[in-house]
Amino acid sequence: MCFIIIISFGTCVHSLAQVLYDFTAEPGNNELTVQEGEILTLVFQSIILLLSVMVILCHMAVGSVYSFDEEWDDDSDDGKSTGGYGGSQADEGGTMQRGGAHSTMKLSLNKFPGFSKTPNPEVYLLTKHISKGDDRLPIYTGEVGPVWLYPQIQLDCVVADPKKGSKMYGLKSYIEYQITPNTTNRPVNHRYKHFDWLYERLVEKFACALPIPCLPDKQVTGRFEEEFIKMRMERLQGWMSRMCRHPVISNSDVFQLFLNYRDEKEWKLGKRKAEKDEIVGVKIFSNIDPELPEEQKYEMYSQFTRSMDNSVKELLTVGHLHWKRCTGPLQKEYRQIGKAFQNLSSVFNTSAYPREYTLTEALTATGKTYEEIINFVSQPKKDLHFLMETTHEYKGLLGCFPDTIAVHKAAIDKVKEADHLVVMNKISQQDKLIMEKNLSTMSYALQAEMNHFHSNRIYDYNRLVQFYLEEQVKFYETIAEKLKKALGQYTTM
Amino acid sequence: MCFIIIISFGTCVHSLAQVLYDFTAEPGNNELTVQEGEILTLVFQSIILLLSVMVILCHMAVGSVYSFDEEWDDDSDDGKSTGGYGGSQADEGGTMQRGGAHSTMKLSLNKFPGFSKTPNPEVYLLTKHISKGDDRLPIYTGEVGPVWLYPQIQLDCVVADPKKGSKMYGLKSYIEYQITPNTTNRPVNHRYKHFDWLYERLVEKFACALPIPCLPDKQVTGRFEEEFIKMRMERLQGWMSRMCRHPVISNSDVFQLFLNYRDEKEWKLGKRKAEKDEIVGVKIFSNIDPELPEEQKYEMYSQFTRSMDNSVKELLTVGHLHWKRCTGPLQKEYRQIGKAFQNLSSVFNTSAYPREYTLTEALTATGKTYEEIINFVSQPKKDLHFLMETTHEYKGLLGCFPDTIAVHKAAIDKVKEADHLVVMNKISQQDKLIMEKNLSTMSYALQAEMNHFHSNRIYDYNRLVQFYLEEQVKFYETIAEKLKKALGQYTTM
């Protein structure tokens, strides 16, 4: 990663840039080592309008001439790396927040104004909407209240087979993942930056109504390492599965495009169309078609998601400590116990006393058993993994709720003003009724979303904790069994 | 405990003493708070010859007048306390060493010159012995080599029922234990200081031939606390059982007196007789009646006991760490896990979503299970206890071997000089033969003792590790069972 300030600029294809910070290239990543103050010539493949002072993030090609990919390779705008549930990282969660929490670059790339300021719902509230056939987002009143319309067959996909690809005559390397949806069973390939593009479209389009969880962390160094690729794939799988499970997202044009495009042309056309989509931000509510007016429950939701956020963070912290202990001191301790028994056995063996063969053999077996157990005490790593990964996902998801709920709060405040605005002749009585109807629609959508969240949460934690306990039971049973076997070697005197 | 230097002294019943260090009395122990420099008047119940400058340890009675028990209450000559397997304590083992390692008082009370200097075996080596009937210590050549004569029924005793007693009109308190031998089934009472007296007699009489393990640590403060009394009783039991298992010790007059005296008179007479016993130190070998001459194996024994000493210390260190973890961080961790699951359940409970009763109940049960497990993770404390206590005993016993072996080494060196002494006409050829025969007897005794040690060690570690593993198996099985029960509360979706 390298921050450069462009000090000479224009609509030409060449620009001069001064390096702001030293940067040491990572071998094999087609990066270049540069030093503070150095003046570089940038060559752009297409003409880009450069703003007067713009902080850019770039990958560098060899030599002092820099090639920019037409599509930014923004798989490098984040200095963080994740390799587990690191203490502080588990608490920061910065990368799980959307747009606004990222770099400025990210924001300027977003057409959507971002959630650092709550989108103004006024533009939606004052318009009378008749939702059109295809775009309509139906909500039904189910047993638990408003619910989205769920498809008969739930979409799902498999993210697999990460492959290293390259372009620019090998100057740029990247990892491409294969995504196979259960509907077509036909794989498509995507790089991380495509996922990121999809994420941005989903935020733009849906984030006023639906919390869109962040993608797994970006990474600069070591992103071609096997361990990292495996972890990223697993987390992309988690993210995609969650998106597939959402009836509104999974049914959206942009998501369908991502999973089903047939060739490069279809992908590029679809991308352009998606980027031009105008039903974004608060306008999404105009597609919602409620059955009944609905009371406001956002305060309860706000309270619930905040509490769950805390609870989930506690679980992550505790899980992290447990993980650390199981893989560190506990292993060491069992190794020491194993060694102590084996040493005692060795000493006993030197006694030249004729009657202790059984005991020394048994002591050695005991020592070895404890050494075998070492492999099992790292078990929580395996058991906990699933619980931790999904809880981490929930942490990200819960971090999106305050923004989604803030849109509702803003709408409610606007409607509260309505009486006053009527008196002031700023809006008509008719406008006020439309506003109230529209607010009810927003509330209806929030409840549908909340019910979606609840049913997912119940499903997830039920299977998560079940799996965890199953593995834990196996773990303790295996240790008991092994020790019982060692015990069998002793004679009863 | 208070160190006082007697600066005015004599054979009178009153003495002045100057306090050397500040001392704060422990309430209820009949102690007195004194300050450095204070002059005190000591009143002795009997006339005691006071040495010119003598450091004494004393318990103080109320007021500025101090009453001395006729029999010193030397249950207070040690500043150490033991409450578990404290790191440093486990490594020091100072109190497990005999005589010499204690205070000067202890040494001056011992008639036996102590082991700080190896007793000179010359006095024994040069005398022709015919062992007398009753005192004879027979050794047989058994399957494993020389062995002591073991009794048909093994002596054992139960140390129980500690009771607080007092004398001097309540001015002095002490704890009395009841000891019941399996031979008479008639209990006798003894205070700690009586055990200490017995220990000193055994060291005097046998320590050249048999390693006499130290008594459990002495204690000054808190020695009337229940926990301490229980632990001391347990350790006295361990010590007594080990003494009972030794065929030579258990059959000795002084040990029989300790267990079987019928009244105060018999006890006092027996005590006086034991204190006057002249067959002490190296003379004990004169009672040994070997069947066959025996080769020297002391080097092998020395090597073995040193190795085992190291191994046993390692086991104690490892066990101590394990103990500490099980009772500390592990309990905390399981409590946190339990709390995290219960908190998640509480949050889920507030959702007002109708379909999660089963899940929240199951999560609560899971949390409670982990809290229940807390009581079990402290299990090693129970399991390890036995292993640690006995290993601690072995550490003490092994610490005595170097002294016992040193006596043999000294005898061997003397016999090596014999040829030279014959040439110099210092001893006769006959003397030399006597020396060689006597050395052979010593070696025979050492081997009998070593074989006794080996058979005990095999018996002890076989049952110790067996018990430990049994308890560990139960421990892991119980946890598995409990988690399985919690798992049963989840529904399969």
Side-chain angles (χ1 to χ4, degrees):
Chain A
M1 184 170 59
C2 176
F3 290 90
I4 294 177
I5 278 204
I6 309 226
I7 49 168
S8 159
F9 52 89
T11 51
C12 58
V13 284
H14 292 79
S15 275
L16 292 177
Q18 185 168 16
V19 179
L20 277 184
Y21 308 102
D22 289 355
F23 176 71
T24 306
E26 201 185 8
N29 276 4
N30 297 320
E31 291 167 344
L32 180 78
T33 300
V34 291
Q35 287 189 328
E36 195 185 323
E38 228 178 299
I39 303 291
L40 307 169
T41 307
L42 305 179
V43 180
F44 295 92
Q45 283 188 302
S46 68
I47 296 165
I48 296 174
L49 178 67
L50 295 168
L51 300 170
S52 60
V53 177
M54 183 177 171
V55 177
I56 60 163
L57 303 159
C58 65
H59 262 196
M60 279 168 262
V62 232
S64 66
V65 176
Y66 297 86
S67 301
F68 268 76
D69 190 352
E70 189 187 6
E71 301 161 342
W72 289 69
D73 190 348
D74 54 356
D75 188 4
S76 55
D77 61 353
D78 190 334
K80 275 183 203 147
S81 105
T82 44
Y85 306 115
S88 64
Q89 181 242 332
D91 291 325
E92 283 165 12
T95 50
M96 276 308 199
Q97 287 158 25
R98 55 185 115 180
H102 271 304
S103 65
T104 17
M105 174 49 60
K106 182 98 192 190
L107 257 185
S108 64
L109 283 174
N110 274 355
K111 276 193 296 183
F112 183 69
F115 273 107
S116 49
K117 281 183 178 172
T118 303
N120 187 347
E122 206 163 349
V123 58
Y124 160 74
L125 282 175
L126 280 164
T127 320
K128 188 161 186 175
H129 307 281
I130 299 136
S131 56
K132 289 158 278 176
D134 267 5
D135 290 337
R136 198 175 150 260
L137 300 174
I139 297 179
Y140 292 91
T141 305
E143 209 182 305
V144 298
V147 283
W148 301 112
L149 176 66
Y150 286 84
Q152 294 255 304
I153 295 157
Q154 192 181 286
L155 181 62
D156 204 355
C157 68
V158 175
V159 181
D161 204 17
K163 277 204 184 93
K164 197 164 175 172
S166 69
K167 48 163 120 187
M168 304 293 302
Y169 309 102
L171 292 180
K172 278 203 62 61
S173 300
Y174 53 84
I175 302 294
E176 206 165 46
Y177 301 88
Q178 197 183 67
I179 302 112
T180 313
N182 61 348
T183 43
T184 64
N185 214 17
R186 194 168 43 74
V188 293
N189 292 326
H190 281 299
R191 297 168 52 183
Y192 180 85
K193 67 169 191 173
H194 299 162
F195 284 92
D196 200 39
W197 175 86
L198 174 63
Y199 165 73
E200 279 165 13
R201 296 291 81 67
L202 296 177
V203 167
E204 259 186 15
K205 189 162 180 70
F206 295 119
C208 283
L210 320 172
I212 308 293
C214 270
L215 283 178
D217 288 355
K218 296 193 172 183
Q219 174 107 351
V220 184
T221 53
R223 70 181 196 281
F224 295 107
E225 281 163 21
E226 209 173 313
E227 187 73 7
F228 170 74
I229 292 167
K230 207 183 134 218
M231 193 188 67
R232 168 171 280 184
M233 189 179 77
E234 206 185 304
R235 289 181 174 177
L236 286 174
Q237 172 73 69
W239 189 82
M240 281 303 286
S241 291
R242 193 158 297 279
M243 295 299 98
C244 285
R245 270 156 77 178
H246 199 292
V248 174
I249 293 166
S250 64
N251 199 40
S252 67
D253 287 348
V254 66
F255 198 75
Q256 291 287 331
L257 169 74
F258 188 83
L259 282 182
N260 299 328
Y261 77 91
R262 277 157 210 273
D263 50 35
E264 205 59 22
K265 198 183 155 198
E266 194 175 327
W267 170 242
K268 297 237 164 173
L269 279 172
K271 275 182 74 176
R272 229 158 279 165
K273 194 184 158 217
E275 284 161 6
K276 283 177 185 156
D277 189 356
E278 292 199 340
I279 308 297
V280 294
V282 290
K283 288 185 198 156
I284 193 67
F285 293 112
S286 60
N287 283 351
I288 285 165
D289 188 9
E291 270 195 336
L292 290 166
E294 201 39 68
E295 52 166 335
Q296 291 301 330
K297 287 187 176 170
Y298 80 93
E299 272 173 357
M300 194 177 93
Y301 295 160
S302 174
Q303 170 71 39
F304 180 83
T305 50
R306 263 186 288 128
S307 304
M308 184 168 165
D309 195 30
N310 288 335
S311 193
V312 147
K313 280 172 185 162
E314 183 193 0
L315 198 59
L316 284 173
T317 305
V318 166
H320 170 63
L321 285 174
H322 188 47
W323 176 307
K324 253 178 46 180
R325 191 184 55 78
C326 291
T327 52
L330 200 60
Q331 286 199 335
K332 197 180 151 205
E333 198 176 302
Y334 277 81
R335 191 170 291 120
Q336 285 174 333
I337 295 175
K339 223 178 115 239
F341 278 124
Q342 287 186 75
N343 283 352
L344 197 64
S345 173
S346 301
V347 171
F348 283 9
N349 239 335
T350 66
S351 74
Y353 192 79
R355 291 178 182 165
E356 58 183 316
Y357 182 74
T358 314
L359 176 64
T360 55
E361 285 294 291
L363 283 173
T364 299
T366 306
K368 283 190 177 152
T369 300
Y370 275 96
E371 285 190 345
E372 272 178 52
I373 290 174
I374 296 165
N375 304 321
F376 289 88
V377 293
S378 68
Q379 168 102 8
K381 192 168 169 178
K382 209 174 90 191
D383 304 352
L384 260 181
H385 181 71
F386 190 35
L387 181 60
M388 293 288 277
E389 278 294 318
T390 312
T391 299
H392 201 246
E393 253 192 77
Y394 266 92
K395 179 169 155 262
L397 196 57
L398 288 161
C400 299
F401 270 99
D403 286 344
T404 305
I405 287 170
V407 179
H408 289 259
K409 180 72 174 59
I412 287 161
D413 291 345
K414 271 277 167 271
V415 174
K416 273 181 188 158
E417 281 177 38
D419 277 333
H420 182 67
L421 292 171
V422 171
V423 171
M424 303 281 283
N425 263 337
K426 299 241 169 142
I427 59 168
S428 66
Q429 187 64 30
Q430 183 62 16
D431 286 337
K432 191 196 145 194
L433 292 175
I434 290 171
M435 280 175 85
E436 280 168 356
K437 190 185 168 296
N438 286 343
L439 178 62
S440 165
T441 299
M442 285 177 74
S443 171
Y444 208 66
L446 180 62
Q447 285 185 56
E449 184 53 20
M450 206 58 204
N451 286 331
H452 175 73
F453 176 78
H454 283 321
S455 82
N456 272 276
R457 168 180 64 75
I458 292 167
Y459 173 80
D460 281 341
Y461 275 93
N462 188 62
R463 84 199 153 101
L464 281 175
V465 184
Q466 242 180 99
F467 174 78
Y468 180 65
L469 289 178
E470 273 164 18
E471 294 301 310
Q472 284 278 290
V473 168
K474 274 189 226 156
F475 165 63
Y476 288 111
E477 279 178 347
T478 308
I479 293 186
E481 221 168 87
K482 283 185 176 292
L483 292 176
K484 212 185 254 173
K485 213 175 140 199
L487 178 60
Q489 296 232 18
Y490 291 80
T491 49
T492 319
M493 283 188 179
Chain B
M1 183 171 59
C2 176
F3 290 88
I4 295 177
I5 279 204
I6 308 225
I7 49 169
S8 160
F9 54 88
T11 51
C12 59
V13 286
H14 291 80
S15 274
L16 293 178
Q18 184 168 18
V19 179
L20 277 184
Y21 308 103
D22 289 356
F23 177 71
T24 307
E26 201 185 10
N29 278 1
N30 297 322
E31 291 165 345
L32 179 77
T33 299
V34 290
Q35 287 187 330
E36 195 184 323
E38 229 178 297
I39 303 290
L40 308 168
T41 306
L42 307 177
V43 179
F44 297 90
Q45 283 187 302
S46 69
I47 295 164
I48 296 175
L49 177 68
L50 295 167
L51 300 169
S52 59
V53 177
M54 183 176 171
V55 177
I56 59 163
L57 305 158
C58 64
H59 265 196
M60 279 170 262
V62 232
S64 66
V65 176
Y66 299 86
S67 302
F68 269 74
D69 190 351
E70 187 188 6
E71 300 163 345
W72 289 69
D73 191 347
D74 56 355
D75 188 2
S76 54
D77 60 353
D78 189 334
K80 276 184 202 144
S81 106
T82 44
Y85 306 114
S88 66
Q89 182 240 329
D91 291 327
E92 285 165 13
T95 51
M96 278 304 200
Q97 288 158 24
R98 55 187 113 178
H102 271 305
S103 64
T104 17
M105 173 48 61
K106 183 97 188 190
L107 257 188
S108 66
L109 281 175
N110 274 353
K111 275 193 296 183
F112 184 68
F115 273 108
S116 47
K117 281 184 181 171
T118 304
N120 188 347
E122 207 162 350
V123 57
Y124 160 72
L125 283 175
L126 281 165
T127 320
K128 188 162 186 174
H129 308 281
I130 300 135
S131 55
K132 288 158 279 177
D134 269 5
D135 290 338
R136 199 175 148 260
L137 301 174
I139 297 179
Y140 290 93
T141 304
E143 208 182 306
V144 299
V147 284
W148 300 113
L149 176 66
Y150 286 85
Q152 294 254 305
I153 295 158
Q154 192 181 287
L155 180 63
D156 204 356
C157 68
V158 174
V159 181
D161 203 17
K163 276 203 185 95
K164 196 165 176 172
S166 69
K167 47 165 122 184
M168 303 294 301
Y169 309 102
L171 292 182
K172 277 202 64 60
S173 299
Y174 54 82
I175 302 295
E176 206 164 46
Y177 302 87
Q178 197 184 65
I179 301 109
T180 314
N182 61 348
T183 41
T184 63
N185 215 17
R186 194 169 41 77
V188 293
N189 292 325
H190 281 299
R191 296 167 56 181
Y192 179 85
K193 67 168 188 172
H194 299 164
F195 284 92
D196 200 39
W197 176 86
L198 174 62
Y199 165 73
E200 280 166 14
R201 295 290 83 65
L202 295 177
V203 168
E204 259 185 14
K205 190 165 179 66
F206 295 118
C208 283
L210 320 172
I212 308 292
C214 270
L215 283 178
D217 287 355
K218 298 195 169 180
Q219 174 109 352
V220 185
T221 54
R223 71 179 195 281
F224 296 105
E225 281 163 21
E226 208 173 315
E227 187 74 7
F228 170 75
I229 291 167
K230 207 182 132 215
M231 192 190 67
R232 167 171 280 185
M233 188 179 77
E234 208 184 302
R235 290 180 175 179
L236 287 174
Q237 172 74 69
W239 190 82
M240 281 302 288
S241 291
R242 194 158 296 279
M243 296 299 99
C244 285
R245 272 158 74 180
H246 200 292
V248 175
I249 294 168
S250 64
N251 199 40
S252 66
D253 287 348
V254 65
F255 198 75
Q256 290 287 332
L257 168 76
F258 188 82
L259 283 181
N260 298 328
Y261 77 92
R262 278 156 208 273
D263 50 38
E264 204 60 22
K265 199 184 158 199
E266 195 175 327
W267 171 242
K268 298 234 164 174
L269 278 173
K271 273 182 75 176
R272 229 158 280 167
K273 193 184 159 216
E275 284 160 6
K276 283 178 186 158
D277 189 356
E278 292 200 341
I279 308 297
V280 296
V282 290
K283 288 186 199 156
I284 192 67
F285 292 112
S286 60
N287 283 350
I288 286 166
D289 188 10
E291 271 197 336
L292 289 168
E294 199 42 68
E295 49 166 338
Q296 291 301 331
K297 288 187 176 171
Y298 80 95
E299 272 174 357
M300 193 178 95
Y301 295 160
S302 174
Q303 171 70 37
F304 180 83
T305 50
R306 263 187 288 129
S307 305
M308 184 168 167
D309 195 32
N310 288 335
S311 192
V312 147
K313 279 173 185 162
E314 182 193 1
L315 197 61
L316 284 173
T317 306
V318 166
H320 170 63
L321 285 173
H322 188 49
W323 175 306
K324 251 175 53 178
R325 191 184 55 77
C326 291
T327 52
L330 199 62
Q331 286 199 336
K332 197 180 152 205
E333 198 177 301
Y334 277 81
R335 190 171 290 120
Q336 284 174 333
I337 295 175
K339 222 179 116 237
F341 278 124
Q342 287 186 77
N343 283 352
L344 197 65
S345 173
S346 301
V347 171
F348 283 9
N349 240 336
T350 66
S351 73
Y353 192 79
R355 290 177 183 168
E356 58 182 315
Y357 182 73
T358 314
L359 177 64
T360 54
E361 286 293 292
L363 283 173
T364 300
T366 306
K368 282 188 177 153
T369 301
Y370 275 97
E371 285 189 344
E372 273 178 52
I373 290 175
I374 296 166
N375 304 322
F376 290 88
V377 293
S378 67
Q379 168 101 9
K381 194 171 168 176
K382 212 174 87 191
D383 304 352
L384 260 182
H385 181 70
F386 191 36
L387 182 60
M388 294 287 276
E389 279 293 320
T390 312
T391 299
H392 201 248
E393 252 191 79
Y394 266 92
K395 180 169 155 263
L397 197 55
L398 288 161
C400 299
F401 270 99
D403 285 344
T404 304
I405 288 171
V407 179
H408 289 259
K409 179 73 173 58
I412 287 162
D413 291 344
K414 272 276 169 270
V415 174
K416 274 182 188 160
E417 281 176 39
D419 276 332
H420 182 67
L421 292 172
V422 171
V423 171
M424 303 281 285
N425 265 335
K426 300 235 168 150
I427 59 168
S428 66
Q429 187 66 27
Q430 182 63 18
D431 286 338
K432 191 196 145 194
L433 291 175
I434 291 171
M435 278 176 86
E436 280 168 358
K437 189 183 170 295
N438 286 344
L439 178 63
S440 166
T441 300
M442 284 177 75
S443 172
Y444 209 65
L446 181 62
Q447 285 186 55
E449 183 54 20
M450 206 60 203
N451 286 331
H452 175 72
F453 176 78
H454 283 322
S455 83
N456 272 276
R457 166 181 66 74
I458 292 167
Y459 173 80
D460 281 341
Y461 276 92
N462 187 63
R463 85 200 153 102
L464 281 175
V465 184
Q466 240 180 100
F467 175 79
Y468 180 65
L469 289 177
E470 272 164 20
E471 293 301 310
Q472 283 279 290
V473 167
K474 274 189 225 156
F475 165 63
Y476 287 112
E477 278 178 347
T478 307
I479 293 187
E481 220 169 87
K482 284 187 174 290
L483 292 176
K484 211 184 252 174
K485 212 175 142 199
L487 178 60
Q489 295 233 17
Y490 291 81
T491 50
T492 320
M493 283 189 180

